[in-house]
Amino acid sequence: MRASAPGKIFLFGEHAVVYGKRALVTAINLRCFAEVRKRYDFRISSPLGITGLDFEKHPYISYAIKRFLEVRKISGADVQVESQIPIASGLGSSAAVTVAVLKALDAEYEANLSNEDIYELARQVELDVQGIASGTDPFISTYGGCWLIPERKPITIPSLEFLVVDSGKKSITGEMVKRVAELKEKFPGVVGEIMDAIDEISQAAIATIPQMKLNSKLNSKLDSISSLMFINQNLLRAIGVSIPEIDEIVDQLNSMGVASKLTGAGGGGCVIGIGDVESMKRAKEKFKSAFIVKPEKEGARIEEE
Ligand code: PMV
């Protein structure tokens, strides 16, 4: 069976969501595909190589299989993975691969798991690999759509386009989350206030996002989102998860009229940007590696063979 699951972007609220604060997150139209066939032992093949169960080279896939074994005893499986989502880039590739593999295992071995079961298993896998995590990525990858987290409030998002620019450095989620936790332990009051401010940003954004249109330059909704992105980026910078490469991209995009911030854990990974049609076009021409993503409604699904 072949299954897929989408990646995601944090519009607002990464890191704060780890502490129960609100985040606004949408699935995107980039997917990870997993094909599972019955086999006498375990074989995992991905762009990273071919292995058996290997918790170093294929941690998310191997833990996904381990967690699946707790609900369904199987002696082996052939798991093949390919992805449209760049790895370690803040676009949710780890959760997408985990959810896609669980969905394909479920279908191939008729385990009859609900979406919530798949989410719960994927959440465990995220904790197995990362130690601390909010569960946002596996949730969005399983269900698709745009949500206010942790409330699980679905948000109607118009068909916006987001520019994505890769900083060229990898983002290691577990490491960044740990670093923020250490800073918070050292300065609980200061970092706590920053998390509260980020929480307010997500709340303010949900009043604006559903009415956004990107065809006009004089657009007060876009202005509001731009300001919120600017503040959120600078708060992320304040807790040490931005890097000079990201700051440089953000500054350039902002100066071109494209509001921007990092997305995901930071320390590397991608910047997202949003602006009117003309500014987006100019920014895309400037950053050769930039690409466009759109919000995606559909979560994990079985693909036609
Ligand atoms: O870097 P990503 O795409 O895995 O996102 C991490 C988001 C954090 O809020 C930093 C961690 C989490 O578990 O929510």
Side-chain angles (χ1 to χ4, degrees):
M1 284 287 185
R2 186 171 153 85
S4 75
K8 63 99 228 320
I9 50 176
F10 270 88
L11 301 176
F12 300 100
E14 50 273 269
H15 287 288
V17 74
V18 175
Y19 302 95
K21 308 297 177 192
R22 287 166 291 190
L24 187 59
V25 192
T26 182
I28 53 172
N29 62 338
L30 295 178
R31 287 187 167 263
C32 179
F33 297 86
E35 189 159 340
V36 170
R37 300 268 166 237
K38 292 189 181 72
R39 195 183 143 96
Y40 56 91
D41 63 356
F42 290 103
R43 177 181 182 275
I44 302 171
S45 109
S46 82
L48 299 175
I50 299 176
T51 67
L53 278 185
D54 185 331
F55 296 88
E56 296 281 313
K57 196 156 194 174
H58 287 127
Y60 289 93
I61 302 172
S62 299
Y63 275 108
I65 293 169
K66 186 164 176 256
R67 288 287 171 187
F68 183 75
L69 284 171
E70 290 170 9
V71 293
R72 184 87 158 76
K73 289 277 164 273
I74 57 173
S75 57
D78 183 38
V79 180
Q80 290 183 45
V81 165
E82 56 185 6
S83 186
Q84 302 168 333
I85 312 165
I87 293 173
S89 60
L91 301 181
S93 66
S94 307
V97 74
T98 306
V99 170
V101 166
L102 287 167
K103 183 87 181 164
L105 282 167
D106 171 53
E108 180 71 13
Y109 291 98
E110 295 170 11
N112 226 356
L113 298 178
S114 66
N115 269 349
E116 199 56 21
D117 296 331
I118 287 180
Y119 159 69
E120 286 294 346
L121 289 173
R123 164 119 186 84
Q124 278 307 322
V125 171
E126 194 180 47
L127 291 172
D128 290 336
V129 181
Q130 285 171 215
I132 327 171
S134 68
T136 305
D137 286 23
F139 178 80
I140 300 291
S141 225
T142 304
Y143 288 99
C146 180
W147 298 81
L148 187 70
I149 301 291
E151 277 96 329
R152 290 191 172 194
K153 179 179 176 184
I155 304 295
T156 311
I157 182 167
S159 60
L160 303 173
E161 292 194 338
F162 293 90
L163 190 74
V164 179
V165 184
D166 200 319
S167 69
K169 292 226 159 132
K170 296 288 174 215
S171 166
I172 311 296
T173 308
E175 231 169 70
M176 299 313 290
V177 171
K178 199 163 148 251
R179 211 187 286 177
V180 173
E182 282 163 9
L183 190 68
K184 191 161 183 295
E185 208 165 295
K186 207 163 162 195
F187 303 110
V190 179
V191 177
E193 293 283 335
I194 292 176
M195 298 309 185
D196 285 343
I198 294 176
D199 181 74
E200 289 292 335
I201 292 174
S202 299
Q203 178 63 23
I206 60 164
T208 311
I209 284 262
Q211 296 119 41
M212 273 179 82
K213 290 195 193 76
L214 291 181
N215 47 7
S216 131
K217 276 199 170 162
L218 295 169
N219 184 330
S220 66
K221 303 297 178 207
L222 180 55
D223 269 3
S224 303
I225 289 297
S226 300
S227 305
L228 293 172
M229 275 199 170
F230 184 81
I231 304 169
N232 197 161
Q233 167 61 22
N234 282 292
L235 292 172
L236 288 167
R237 202 173 164 192
I239 56 170
V241 299
S242 196
I243 55 170
E245 289 85 343
I246 289 176
D247 296 338
E248 173 76 24
I249 296 167
V250 166
D251 286 348
Q252 291 196 31
L253 287 175
N254 286 350
S255 72
M256 299 175 87
V258 174
S260 56
K261 62 176 272 297
L262 67 81
T263 186
C270 289
V271 170
I272 53 165
I274 189 164
D276 65 68
V277 176
E278 270 311 305
S279 308
M280 290 281 275
K281 196 167 159 243
R282 264 184 284 120
K284 192 160 177 284
E285 278 159 13
K286 177 166 178 65
F287 292 95
K288 295 282 170 268
S289 64
F291 54 96
I292 297 286
V293 297
K294 294 180 182 174
E296 163 76 29
K297 289 205 176 76
E298 229 185 316
R301 68 182 181 215
I302 297 299
E303 296 287 330
E304 293 291 323
E305 307 260 338

